[in-house]
Amino acid sequence: MLVYQGTKASPGLVMGPVRRLHHSGPGLERVVQTPGREQALLNAAVVLAKDELRQLEEAAEGTDKDIFLFQRVMLDDPGLNREIAAYIAAGAGAAPAVERAAEIYAGRIEAGDDEYIRQRAMDVRDACRRVVNILDGRPRTPLRLETPSILISEFLYPSDIVAIGRGMLLGVACAEGSEQSHASIIARTMGIPAVVQLGGAFLEQNCAGGGVLDADNGCLILQPDEAARKDAQRRIVGASILKKRLAALGAGPCRTKDGTHVALLASCSGPEDVELAMQAGAEGVGLLRSEFSIMAGRVPSEEEQYFFYLSCLQAAGGKPVTVRTFDIGADKSVPGLTEDSPNPALGMRGLRMSLAHPQMFEEQLCALLRAGTRGPLRVSIPMVSTPEDWLQAMEHVEKARRALRRRGVVFNEELEFGCMVETPSAALLAPDILAAGCRFLVIGTNDLIQYTYAADRLDSRFSEFFSGQSPAVHRLVGMALDAAKAAGAPVCICGVHAGSPNQVVRYARQGVRCFATEAASLLQVKARLLEEDLTLPADP
Ligand code: PEP
Ligand code: MG
């Protein structure tokens, strides 16, 4: 039995056959032709590659679609294309020209400081590899699995996972890779267990004896012995019983033992996750992170956004949806919009970014005001820190209303606007922000913890602040709750604390009756609330 330790990239435990994925295969040895002919071959290959990426985009789920949209946009990137054209003009064949340009381009991206952007180098390589494989006549679906298997490789491209699909992929184990890579993100959204950073040695081993991928503990066992197999079987059965028990909770109302109704809403980023959350029993969407619709680098038009919000309302099936206006900046960088900043989390982010791009902001507000006639929609504004921030945002809402009236377009005059409480300042000044007209508060605990403790949410060395007790945050939330109660404004808590059953119970005892969490945590939170009697004193 061989045990390898890596890092969990997507949770779960699976056992089954193990198959090795090799990324490069023999290509077509082709004579290089004239630069004009090579450029023409390249253009045709790019058209085909974009078509394949469009199909992968259709097959992907939720925000995973954006990954393939990004790759498609990448293939049109003028800088990359100039680089490829220069190699072809110098006499290189189209395939080596793409390979060389992709390496240089990806290398430049990898040299940056931002981890999220660095991870996009993999997307550049993935998109360019597709073009090269077309030019070289190689198959683009890297592996056909006949039975559901654990896939092992040096690394995985996002398209590897989507191309093989959920049914055949039990889990993935990679020698390299990172938790933030798009392949890992896709594995998480598709519910495929994944372990990265296992080191290369396991790839040399005989896989005939199958394997156990214990992603929960970041480990891969090859040639498992009888005891390891039995242990895995026992845990897999236990996990599936728990999953079924939790799924059965989804349909019923969320009432604590003393009969208090607590609304469990979802945190989502698009219609697909809204649908999933509704299936898990969410009573609506408390946070729709609209910025994920533009992370691929193109801001959709007002019309496209309008239909995007309608799709979200439709997926929610008549339940309320709170859309947050774009929270761009910090780790959510958008090519062409975000700039280098010495300290991006404290720089141009959220409302500040929207105020700096008034046309983009007003187009989004117009789309939301229009969508507000089609269902129970309300709008929250991110990173409001002061009443002045709020009033500036409302000036743009007023401008958007005037523009729609001028255009004679129907919109919801009564659409409600509220704000996120994500900074200590917003919690301290909540009475003033509410007095300025803010109708509801959505407390974002991820950022509230980050800014209260000066603990970077992207730096795993400080994860204790996010999983720990957070007394300072509780005190700030208490202030915001008091202000909201005095103003008669509803409050919803989202972010990391809304996914923690213990924290939710704590806030419920403080009087909070609404939480927005990821669909994956919703049932665990619900199971805990159903067991709780809020009239009894809390356990010490
Ligand atoms: C939060 O800060 O808690 C939140 C929900 O917003 P985001 O995680 O998108 O910053
Ligand atoms: Mg936030």
Side-chain angles (χ1 to χ4, degrees):
M1 183 166 92
L2 301 160
V3 181
Y4 299 91
Q5 190 60 45
T7 305
K8 169 174 82 172
S10 172
L13 170 70
V14 285
M15 179 164 66
V18 174
R19 289 290 307 276
R20 170 88 152 94
L21 173 73
H22 294 275
H23 279 106
S24 50
L28 192 74
E29 291 294 325
R30 197 169 53 74
V31 176
V32 177
Q33 310 203 12
T34 61
R37 180 96 185 100
E38 289 294 326
Q39 186 66 49
L41 284 169
L42 171 70
N43 295 346
V46 167
V47 169
L48 197 57
K50 289 201 311 200
D51 202 47
E52 290 180 358
L53 286 168
R54 198 171 290 113
Q55 286 170 28
L56 285 170
E57 197 180 320
E58 276 164 21
E61 296 172 23
T63 47
D64 295 351
K65 289 178 184 298
D66 298 343
I67 295 165
F68 300 107
L69 174 62
F70 174 80
Q71 292 196 8
R72 233 170 355 107
V73 172
M74 230 19 258
L75 290 181
D76 283 331
D77 185 88
L80 177 67
N81 280 307
R82 261 197 308 276
E83 206 123 13
I84 298 171
Y87 287 124
I88 291 179
V98 174
E99 265 169 352
R100 202 174 306 172
E103 259 330 294
I104 290 173
Y105 217 74
R108 260 187 230 137
I109 294 178
E110 275 167 345
D113 290 335
D114 185 321
E115 175 59 21
Y116 181 84
I117 296 289
R118 277 208 302 273
Q119 290 300 328
R120 302 298 68 80
M122 202 60 157
D123 290 311
V124 174
R125 291 199 177 95
D126 194 11
C128 290
R129 172 193 67 136
R130 182 169 296 283
V131 176
V132 169
N133 285 347
I134 291 170
L135 286 164
D136 279 354
R138 288 196 189 102
R140 258 92 64 223
T141 305
L143 187 65
R144 279 212 186 282
L145 298 176
E146 279 87 38
T147 49
S149 307
I150 297 168
L151 196 64
I152 61 171
S153 186
E154 275 90 4
F155 58 86
L156 283 178
Y157 289 116
S159 57
D160 293 331
I161 299 183
V162 176
I164 294 171
R166 197 200 317 252
M168 283 293 167
L169 211 47
L170 286 179
V172 295
C174 297
E176 303 161 16
S178 98
E179 291 165 81
Q180 287 84 30
S181 75
H182 269 148
S184 297
I185 292 171
I186 289 186
R188 284 198 288 276
T189 50
M190 289 174 73
I192 295 170
V195 177
V196 293
Q197 299 282 343
L198 281 158
F202 79 102
L203 293 171
E204 310 301 325
Q205 299 301 331
N206 179 356
C207 301
V212 172
L213 183 70
D214 181 358
D216 292 331
N217 293 307
C219 122
L220 172 73
I221 304 173
L222 290 179
Q223 303 158 25
D225 62 17
E226 195 52 27
R229 279 178 186 281
K230 285 244 163 71
D231 179 58
Q233 269 164 3
R234 187 182 50 75
R235 286 173 54 208
I236 290 169
V237 170
S240 91
I241 292 171
L242 182 67
K243 211 167 161 183
K244 276 201 192 112
R245 195 171 72 78
L246 285 177
L249 291 181
C254 182
R255 284 191 192 285
T256 55
K257 273 199 166 145
D258 55 298
T260 309
H261 173 241
V262 178
L264 288 185
L265 312 182
S267 275
C268 297
S269 52
E272 290 84 359
D273 352 345
V274 175
E275 217 165 282
L276 270 183
M278 295 306 124
Q279 284 161 14
E283 293 182 36
V285 177
L287 172 70
L288 188 104
R289 290 176 164 100
S290 67
E291 61 276 7
F292 281 98
S293 63
I294 60 171
M295 296 286 282
R298 190 180 70 86
V299 180
S301 65
E302 178 191 315
E303 209 56 21
E304 287 171 303
Q305 290 188 58
Y306 170 67
F307 284 108
F308 176 77
Y309 303 130
L310 288 197
S311 315
C312 294
L313 280 170
Q314 203 164 33
K319 292 177 177 159
V321 176
T322 302
V323 178
R324 180 174 74 184
T325 57
F326 300 143
D327 179 19
I328 305 167
D331 59 322
K332 288 180 268 193
S333 44
V334 175
L337 268 177
T338 38
E339 304 149 20
D340 282 347
S341 164
N343 199 339
L346 303 182
M348 281 303 233
R349 181 182 170 184
L351 174 63
R352 289 176 188 165
M353 182 64 99
S354 291
L355 293 175
H357 295 272
Q359 193 185 338
M360 175 185 82
F361 192 27
E362 282 162 32
E363 274 173 14
Q364 181 175 33
L365 291 168
C366 284
L368 287 164
L369 285 160
R370 290 170 58 196
T373 60
R374 306 293 296 273
L377 185 105
R378 54 179 205 170
V379 176
S380 65
I381 310 283
M383 305 301 293
V384 168
S385 285
T386 61
E388 290 74 24
D389 282 349
W390 172 261
L391 291 172
Q392 279 194 69
M394 289 307 106
E395 274 175 29
H396 289 274
V397 171
E398 209 33 63
K399 277 191 189 158
R401 287 191 184 119
R402 280 202 298 271
L404 288 171
R405 277 187 210 114
R406 260 198 318 275
R407 284 160 49 193
V409 176
V410 182
F411 68 95
N412 182 355
E413 294 269 3
E414 306 298 323
L415 191 71
E416 281 194 3
F417 286 84
C419 81
M420 301 290 300
V421 176
E422 293 165 299
T423 61
S425 171
L428 292 163
L429 299 179
D432 311 75
I433 295 171
L434 289 160
C438 171
R439 300 283 290 276
F440 63 89
L441 302 180
V442 181
I443 300 177
T445 51
N446 297 333
D447 280 314
L448 194 53
I449 294 170
Q450 155 163 274
Y451 295 123
T452 300
Y453 292 104
D456 188 341
R457 60 191 273 187
L458 300 179
D459 192 330
S460 55
R461 289 171 300 178
F462 309 127
S463 57
E464 193 58 25
F465 286 106
F466 296 82
S467 55
Q469 283 303 310
S470 309
V473 165
H474 292 151
R475 202 172 289 186
L476 286 166
V477 170
M479 289 177 172
L481 292 179
D482 289 345
K485 195 168 172 194
V491 175
C492 178
I493 294 190
C494 64
V496 60
H497 278 182
S500 151
N502 285 344
Q503 291 286 1
V504 166
V505 166
R506 199 195 168 287
Y507 288 119
R509 289 182 173 280
Q510 242 181 313
V512 180
R513 294 290 174 265
C514 179
F515 298 89
T517 182
E518 270 79 35
S521 319
L522 205 121
L523 292 173
Q524 266 154 355
V525 169
K526 189 167 181 176
R528 178 64 197 279
L529 282 168
L530 295 180
E531 293 295 309
E532 204 62 30
D533 186 334
L534 298 176
T535 61
L536 296 178
D539 288 339

